[in-house]
Amino acid sequence: HTLRSRRQIERAPGFLGGYLATGPGPALWTVTAWTSEAAMTAYRGDGAHAKAMPRLSRSCSEASVTHWLALDDALPPPEEAAERMRTGRIS
């Protein structure tokens, strides 16, 4: 699912860039930048990503999601992304 989702995101309209971040233990998350919330929502609700998300609870003990509007296209550093994830919505 990860590889299919990666191929999907690389071709998704509005995708500006991203990275996979790791934390203590087995923690990991993705950080992505989009031209608009609509572009991100279209990616999230379709294709490989949409097929993978129902399986998330079998792969992870917990998951959260957060998003925010940035003033530029720069991706936040992993430390900032981790802090935002800690205050995110549990999914």
Side-chain angles (χ1 to χ4, degrees), residues 65-87:
V65 62
T66 188
H67 70 272
W68 67 93
L69 299 176
L71 298 176
D72 57 31
D73 295 343
L75 294 167
E79 299 79 21
E80 181 182 347
E83 182 57 34
R84 289 179 181 265
M85 290 301 290
R86 281 190 275 284
T87 62

Side-chain angles (χ1 to χ4, degrees), residues 6-35:
R6 180 178 175 177
R7 281 193 298 269
Q8 177 190 356
I9 201 169
E10 289 171 345
R11 297 179 179 120
F15 176 67
L16 296 173
Y19 62 86
L20 180 65
T22 59
L28 58 97
W29 60 91
T30 57
V31 177
T32 57
W34 297 87
T35 57

